[in-house]
Amino acid sequence: QVQLEDTGGGLVQAGGSLTLSCATSGRIFSSAVMAWFRQAPGKEREFVAAMRWGVGRSMYADSVKGRFTISRANANTAYLQMNNLKSEDTAVYFCARGVDFTATASEYRDWGQGTQVTVTS
């Protein structure tokens, strides 16, 4: 089973930036989809961004479009660059791996442990 380790969270002021990393225990195959989700206290886990690894096709939630960028740097690491952060972005962020290019959390089978992002106003 692939293990995912998501890191890079922290405390940042509104308008600031953070970059989250998701390192996998093995190579990410071109057919895989890497995604980021987030969950705020008392709320459902929600989709943030996803990328089809081999072709680089990506999609974003409307709430982060134009501010967040999902990317890859090597065969086993995905990133989420977050700019112009807002207080409503505060949540635990999870990376996930699946095979379907979808925003549905239940379709992803491998998950990181989560990293906390707190945005202060």
Side-chain angles (χ1 to χ4, degrees), residues 12-78:
V12 63
Q13 288 188 329
S17 299
L18 279 176
T19 300
L20 306 183
S21 300
C22 177
T24 68
S25 59
R27 178 181 175 181
I28 303 171
F29 292 97
S30 60
S31 59
V33 176
M34 297 299 294
W36 290 93
F37 289 79
R38 66 187 182 187
Q39 188 166 17
K43 294 188 177 181
E44 297 287 322
R45 189 168 297 190
E46 67 171 354
F47 171 76
V48 174
M51 172 181 280
R52 172 71 75 183
W53 200 250
V55 298
R57 180 187 175 193
S58 59
M59 62 175 175
Y60 297 90
D62 288 343
S63 59
V64 306
K65 204 170 292 183
R67 300 187 297 121
F68 290 13
T69 303
I70 187 171
S71 65
R72 55 187 178 180
N74 53 43
N76 66 345
T77 305

